Amino acid sequence: MSDTERINNRIDTYSEAFDFYIERREMPPEIAADDQLGAYMRQVIDENPHLVSVDPLWAEVLKENLMDFFQALLQHFAIVEQQLAAELAMINRFRSASIEQKRRQWSGVVGHIKQRYTKYEVNIDGYSQRFDGENNDAVFAALTSDWESACRNHAEETRREMLARSKHNWAQRFREIGDQDYIERRKIEDIVYKSPVLSEIVDIIGRARDADGTVDNLMYSYLPKGLSSNDAGEGISKISFGNDIERVTPSETLLLSTPDTEQLFYQRYALRQLQQFSAPSAAPLKTQINNPLPRPKKGPIIVAVDTSGSMYGRPEQMAKSLLIQLVRIARAEHRSCYLITFSVRIRSIDLGRGANMRALTSFLQQRYTGGNGEEKLLIEALRLLESDDYGMADVLIISDFIFNPPDRANTERVRKAQSKGTRFYGLQINSNSKAFDALLDRKWKA
């Protein structure tokens, strides 16, 4: 595994730990008690309670900036780790050498230790005086033990000093740009809140409800007869939606079992969106809901954003606003969220990973230019859909759709993906093109 992969994996861990600590006020087991960055993260959150309680967006801004800082710091830590590994290898070579080899290496070892360590860390002069005595093996064992301990302590102290020097600069920078980041992000997000179309897309892609307006209940393919304690449930034929408490399904009442999901139950009750057993009718022992394709309730999300020049301006802001909301859902629910940007070139990145948080900010800051690349977009989306991580994902294409219809080969691959449960959605901005209409499960216009 490369240093970059190790750093990215570590950032993923810290990103999850950030959310875990805000929710439970304790660190997950993956973060050791002596982890320097973990301790600093706790300190930052504890010193900024208003940032993580008043508005979730503040927590996101803080998290993004902190993870960006950690990523830069871990790159410097990687150099320290390389030096530590080289030193430990030298120690092990000396430890495993024969007595004659140790004698030949002795002068070099003495010079190296004197150059790197104080006499209080490794008293090499004391060991030299005892060398050639009767207990050389014991002398060498004690020396290598002290040497290794000093080596590890040096690395730990170096990392501690790096963090101490850098954290003040980061904190000052965050105070200067945090408000600005928050305001800019809020402006973009407000576009979704003010647009019924975008809000509906967030609900559907987030799988709070299905594209036809009902709750996406594809996970409930079969329901045993008689789950309801009410007599009306004796002949269950299907599931409907409302707020009749006596007919509510057990899966919905489970929401009342934890504080985290209780609010969702009452929200669904107020909107008459609770799953409930319908009116009595003759029914088999198990009834299949008329949704033939099983899909995960909180599956992955693929967002393809047209970054060609025709999307510049208001369309660009709408696309970015919608993307922010979908990424927020993905991160909160630990779902993969893949961004594909397409114009002349295709770029793709998994925004669900904490290590890629800064990539979202970079995307939000860029301006749209170039031409279209619709076929490349489909090829990349289909490649993801055929992978283990993104099977049965929802695909949302945000574009003006001013391009040619897809070719036959890609159309057939899309149909195959749809037959397995994938849904292709489109948000069409500022045009009346029908290039992809036959391919999409649903399209919105804005």
Side-chain angles (χ1 to χ4, degrees):
M1 183 182 296
S2 67
D3 286 340
T4 299
E5 291 173 323
R6 277 191 288 269
I7 290 172
N8 287 344
N9 289 340
R10 198 62 191 161
I11 292 297
D12 288 341
T13 300
Y14 285 128
S15 179
E16 293 177 3
F18 184 98
D19 298 332
F20 190 94
Y21 186 75
I22 286 180
E23 180 181 349
R24 306 189 186 186
R25 278 300 185 268
E26 64 179 5
M27 280 293 170
E30 293 79 11
I31 305 296
D34 60 349
D35 188 300
Q36 294 179 14
L37 298 187
Y40 182 60
M41 180 163 59
R42 291 197 304 270
Q43 177 187 338
V44 169
I45 296 174
D46 291 342
E47 290 178 352
N48 294 276
H50 61 291
L51 297 185
V52 298
S53 60
V54 175
D55 186 342
L57 180 57
W58 264 120
E60 290 182 17
V61 171
L62 175 61
K63 180 179 175 180
E64 278 194 15
N65 280 272
L66 189 60
M67 293 302 107
D68 191 40
F69 170 54
F70 280 7
Q71 198 157 23
L73 201 56
L74 285 172
Q75 291 174 357
H76 294 288
F77 282 9
I79 298 174
V80 177
E81 292 298 326
Q82 292 170 4
Q83 294 171 343
L84 173 63
E87 184 88 352
L88 291 176
M90 180 187 298
I91 294 171
N92 287 330
R93 285 195 299 271
F94 183 76
R95 178 184 283 131
S96 60
S98 66
I99 186 62
E100 291 302 321
Q101 290 172 327
K102 284 185 173 71
R103 291 179 184 276
R104 289 195 295 270
Q105 296 174 20
W106 183 251
S107 60
V109 167
V110 170
H112 177 81
I113 291 176
K114 285 187 174 182
Q115 184 178 7
R116 288 182 57 86
Y117 306 100
T118 69
K119 65 179 180 179
Y120 303 105
E121 294 172 315
V122 183
N123 186 7
I124 190 63
D125 289 334
Y127 285 116
S128 296
Q129 292 174 3
R130 297 168 59 187
F131 186 51
D132 281 339
E134 295 181 356
N135 296 311
N136 281 333
D137 288 341
V139 172
F140 289 137
L143 168 62
T144 52
S145 177
D146 284 354
W147 186 3
E148 180 174 345
S149 177
C151 173
R152 294 186 183 278
N153 289 339
H154 256 221
E156 184 72 10
E157 183 61 28
T158 300
R159 288 190 291 263
R160 187 178 293 110
E161 290 176 356
M162 286 181 174
L163 175 59
R165 287 196 305 267
S166 304
K167 66 182 183 182
H168 299 297
N169 292 334
W170 174 82
Q172 181 178 353
R173 182 176 178 275
F174 180 71
R175 285 192 294 269
E176 293 172 352
I177 69 171
D179 288 345
Q180 181 180 349
D181 284 353
Y182 174 83
I183 292 171
E184 291 300 319
R185 187 69 64 84
R186 175 56 68 198
K187 287 179 181 178
I188 296 176
E189 288 197 350
D190 283 347
I191 297 174
V192 166
Y193 299 139
K194 295 176 181 178
S195 170
V197 169
L198 299 187
S199 296
E200 182 181 13
I201 294 173
V202 169
D203 283 348
I204 290 174
I205 301 298
R207 298 189 183 177
R209 56 195 176 103
D210 211 343
D212 60 3
T214 62
V215 172
D216 186 348
N217 48 26
L218 287 168
M219 284 298 286
Y220 308 102
S221 296
Y222 290 89
L223 289 171
K225 174 183 176 181
L227 282 177
S228 175
S229 59
N230 185 276
D231 292 340
E234 291 181 0
I236 301 165
S237 61
K238 63 178 181 177
I239 297 295
S240 61
F241 300 92
N243 58 1
D244 186 343
I245 296 298
E246 291 187 349
R247 296 179 185 272
V248 170
T249 65
S251 62
E252 294 284 29
T253 58
L254 283 175
L255 295 174
L256 294 170
S257 62
T258 67
D260 293 337
T261 57
E262 185 178 10
Q263 184 177 0
L264 178 58
F265 177 90
Y266 291 118
Q267 179 182 355
R268 291 181 180 177
Y269 176 83
L271 296 174
R272 302 179 65 86
Q273 292 181 352
L274 289 171
Q275 294 185 69
Q276 61 184 41
F277 299 123
S278 64
S281 65
L285 181 62
K286 288 190 178 181
T287 302
Q288 184 174 4
I289 300 171
N290 189 25
N291 281 322
L293 302 174
R295 297 200 307 152
K297 188 67 177 174
K298 296 180 179 179
I301 303 169
I302 299 174
V303 184
V305 179
D306 183 350
T307 57
S308 62
S310 61
M311 290 285 289
Y312 181 77
R314 182 69 174 174
E316 170 189 338
Q317 293 301 316
M318 295 180 71
K320 290 177 177 178
S321 179
L322 186 53
L323 177 63
I324 287 175
Q325 295 303 317
L326 295 177
V327 170
R328 173 179 289 174
I329 290 172
R331 289 175 178 170
E333 298 179 351
H334 305 288
R335 299 163 64 178
S336 297
C337 181
Y338 215 89
L339 169 65
I340 303 173
T341 64
F342 64 99
S343 56
V344 177
R345 294 185 302 128
I346 290 287
R347 296 180 59 204
S348 53
I349 190 166
D350 185 354
L351 294 179
R353 292 194 63 182
N356 293 331
M357 293 185 70
R358 182 51 54 181
L360 174 60
T361 303
S362 298
F363 172 75
L364 297 175
Q365 293 171 347
Q366 77 178 46
R367 290 293 175 260
Y368 292 4
T369 59
N372 292 318
E374 60 272 15
E375 293 297 342
K376 295 178 182 178
L377 146 70
L378 284 179
I379 291 172
E380 177 65 9
L382 290 165
R383 181 188 69 82
L384 291 171
L385 290 170
E386 292 165 1
S387 68
D388 293 337
D389 293 336
Y390 285 89
M392 290 191 293
D394 280 333
V395 180
L396 173 65
I397 303 173
I398 306 174
S399 173
D400 53 20
F401 289 93
I402 303 176
F403 38 64
N404 298 319
D407 64 26
R408 179 180 296 181
N410 283 332
T411 298
E412 291 177 356
R413 291 178 68 192
V414 169
R415 296 301 184 209
K416 182 178 180 181
Q418 289 170 322
S419 71
K420 295 179 180 179
T422 288
R423 294 180 183 175
F424 280 78
Y425 300 117
L427 171 60
Q428 184 170 1
I429 305 176
N430 284 358
S431 86
N432 293 311
S433 171
K434 297 182 179 181
F436 269 38
D437 283 12
L439 207 62
L440 300 175
D441 292 281
R442 180 168 178 182
K443 184 176 76 174
W444 294 266
K445 287 187 176 182

